[in-house]
Amino acid sequence: MLPWGHAAVGYLGYRLYTFLRHRRPPVGIAVIALAVGTQFPDLLDKPLSWTFGVLPSGRSLGHSLLVFVVVAAVLFVVVRNRSERTRTAVFAFGFGWVSHVLSDGYTVLFGRDTCVNYLVWPLAVCPYDESGRSIIEYLLNVEFTGATLIGVGLAVVASGVWLLDGAPGVWVFVRRVRERLG
């Protein structure tokens, strides 16, 4: 799945969670943390694999649920005595991270032969040879397949829901920029 699809799946899932749990849309800093979380696995794995050749695949360290569980446990200990706002942001980041990891394997649901070994990396790996790839080149050469169009469709729906929710997170960002500019 491409970045906009991951962001869409993350927002729609988190929106459903906040509605069911709090009867309101997501708010402020949590949406920003969610957005970062939805991109985090690729921001970690793709450069470390494609550019530096340190990881075996663009779906390994950041895509592993085993690694996520360890990081989540550490974060739980670190933030348990912090403010509600901090705990909410960390939870939203984790929600985005998990939504990314799970949505990368969605083609399994359609019976496609998809390697999901990345879920338990380093115990198993997906046999991809991805060294020497470029993220920019990859994004510039995206083919509009059915899977790509699903991601675009999800992004359109999620953008509409986000706008109807009042574009949460935007004002946090705008306020920070104003503070920095004086």
Side-chain angles (χ1 to χ4, degrees):
M1 188 169 278
L2 293 163
W4 49 85
H6 286 302
V9 168
Y11 188 78
L12 292 172
Y14 192 71
R15 172 60 168 91
L16 179 62
Y17 164 78
T18 59
F19 176 76
L20 294 174
R21 175 128 168 107
H22 305 291
R23 299 283 183 232
R24 62 166 172 72
V27 293
I29 195 74
V31 175
I32 294 169
L34 173 73
V36 173
T38 65
Q39 306 307 308
F40 179 73
D42 283 343
L43 293 173
L44 181 64
D45 288 351
K46 300 293 194 252
L48 290 176
S49 173
W50 295 4
T51 306
F52 300 109
V54 176
L55 294 175
S57 153
R59 289 186 185 171
S60 49
L61 178 69
H63 286 74
S64 172
L65 290 178
L66 300 176
V67 171
F68 172 79
V69 167
V70 171
V71 171
V74 170
L75 286 174
F76 175 78
V77 170
V78 170
V79 303
R80 70 177 173 207
N81 295 322
R82 304 289 173 135
S83 71
E84 180 68 26
R85 182 178 173 193
T86 300
R87 291 193 312 271
T88 299
V90 169
F91 176 80
F93 174 84
F95 191 102
W97 183 352
V98 169
S99 78
H100 177 114
V101 169
L102 296 178
S103 65
D104 266 344
Y106 82 96
T107 55
V108 167
L109 299 174
F110 300 117
R112 284 193 40 208
D113 186 24
T114 302
C115 178
V116 291
N117 289 350
Y118 65 86
L119 293 170
V120 293
W121 186 90
L123 302 179
V125 297
C126 289
Y128 304 134
D129 179 19
E130 300 178 316
S131 58
R133 291 183 79 181
S134 160
I135 293 170
I136 303 299
E137 181 182 326
Y138 173 76
L139 291 173
L140 290 175
N141 292 306
V142 167
E143 295 179 19
F144 286 95
T145 63
T148 306
L149 293 176
I150 288 171
V152 169
L154 285 169
V156 168
V157 170
S159 296
V161 171
W162 178 73
L163 287 170
L164 289 172
D165 287 344
V170 168
W171 297 114
V172 172
F173 181 74
V174 168
R175 197 170 30 247
R176 299 277 167 126
V177 169
R178 284 185 182 162
E179 289 171 1
R180 300 248 188 245
L181 295 177

